Amino acid sequence: MSGKIITLTRHIIEEQRRFPQATGQFTDLMNDIAFAAKLISYHTNKAGLMGILGETADINVQGEIVKKLDIFANETMVRALDHNGHLCVMASEESEDIIPIPEQYPLGKYVCLYDPLDGSSNIDANVSVGTIFSIYNRISDADTPGTLADCLQKGINQVCAGYVVYGSSTMLVFTTGNGVHGFTLDPSYGEFILSHPNIRTPQKGSIYSVNESHYDYWDENIRNYIHYIKQVDEKTGRPLNSRYIGSMVSDIHRNLLYGGIYLYPPSKLAPEGKLRLTYECNPIAFIVEQAGGKAIDGYERIMEIEPTSLHLRTPFIAGSEEDVILFEDFVKQNRHKVNI
Ligand code: AHG
Ligand code: MN
Ligand code: MN
């Protein structure tokens, strides 16, 4: 095999050598996540053929319609991660409470939170969806079942965060705080191969991604910002280009590579925003920051927010540093800076 092919496992093993105290547990956990991602990828690609498409009669804890693939992805994550002794507890966007490790299995030192399927409203139209995950060290006592407090840590405590995008190819992108690395699933080997080492997002982008149908529900500062970025001004690179898929993973992935800003601001419809701090915003914020970008709720750094409940929602603005700072200036009404 050519020395240039670096698998996900090899990359993680080599990264872990920086930590003399590493036990191999983290590498194993990442392999479990990668295995779940391969299963979800396979089923996402085959969804139409396997009669798995369509809505179930269930409504999830968020009060939304649950798609069959949401359930499949959730069960796949639970089953891939519950038995290897790396985790003490899990939490999923699709489960109301924390997910304990079944008694018959050993307990580990990590905590894993995930959104098993992000962008599920897009599934039936064959549009990219994703999985998002976040790993913390446990803070509860070793060898006891993990607790809610283990799952309610600030984003700055994450030891790893990643997403998988099931797009024209399947990619797993993650960070352990040592840069952001992207791996593409080679369907013939069934392996994630390093394809995007050390992803850096442009300091300033040319894309904005937002559900603009909420315009009338936003407060004035947000409307002013969106109005501003659409005005023509060559010197400041305006107007920005509009791109919105409606699968955050896919919107963020594109903007990470091309540069741009993703926004899910508060509105009269959703005063706290829509996205969940623990499953969606914290992991994406860790990745965006590690790629050189910025992630805020409008005022505060996302990863500094105290999660007071498992399914807490937060406004979310993330992307190229200069673009996010400009948004911040509008929201904080630093009008001297933004010349409106
Ligand atoms: P999920 O499918 O996990 O519920 O997440 C959907 C999220 C996110 O992926 C996307 O960016 C956003 O919802 C889209 O929301 P709108 O349809 O309100 O724009
Ligand atoms: Mn989601
Ligand atoms: Mn979801």
Side-chain angles (χ1 to χ4, degrees), residues 37-183:
K38 287 177 202 173
L39 291 176
I40 299 169
S41 175
Y42 178 80
H43 281 260
T44 306
N45 288 327
K46 292 264 182 290
L49 298 172
M50 296 170 86
I52 208 169
L53 286 178
E55 292 159 6
T56 65
D58 297 337
I59 299 288
N60 72 3
V61 288
Q62 317 288 344
E64 298 152 348
I65 295 167
V66 182
K67 301 282 185 177
K68 282 183 186 169
L69 210 52
D70 279 307
I71 297 172
F72 173 81
N74 192 41
E75 285 175 357
T76 301
M77 289 296 281
V78 173
R79 291 204 188 120
L81 301 180
D82 69 357
H83 58 281
N84 279 342
H86 311 311
L87 298 180
C88 64
V89 67
M90 299 180 248
S92 163
E93 185 200 76
E94 295 298 337
S95 306
E96 185 150 12
D97 297 316
I98 57 172
I99 305 170
I101 301 302
E103 264 173 34
Q104 68 266 36
Y105 300 131
L107 293 165
K109 61 178 178 180
Y110 292 111
V111 177
C112 188
L113 278 64
Y114 44 84
D115 176 357
L117 204 73
D118 176 68
S120 47
S121 70
N122 279 322
I123 295 166
D124 290 352
N126 210 355
V127 173
S128 303
V129 290
T131 297
I132 312 173
F133 61 91
S134 175
I135 302 171
Y136 295 82
N137 280 314
R138 70 180 304 167
I139 52 173
S140 55
D141 293 339
D143 301 322
T144 60
T147 63
L148 179 62
D150 286 318
C151 299
L152 294 183
Q153 300 186 55
K154 284 186 182 178
I156 44 171
N157 289 356
Q158 290 171 105
V159 295
C160 174
Y163 61 75
V164 186
V165 55
Y166 310 103
S168 44
S169 61
T170 294
M171 267 192 82
L172 190 153
V173 175
F174 82 102
T175 183
T176 55
N178 185 30
V180 179
H181 308 286
F183 297 78

Side-chain angles (χ1 to χ4, degrees), residues 214-230:
H214 297 170
Y215 193 89
D216 274 355
Y217 298 110
W218 293 330
D219 82 17
E220 200 194 347
N221 298 334
I222 297 167
R223 291 203 303 260
N224 284 341
Y225 169 78
I226 296 294
H227 180 70
Y228 176 83
I229 59 176
K230 293 198 296 189

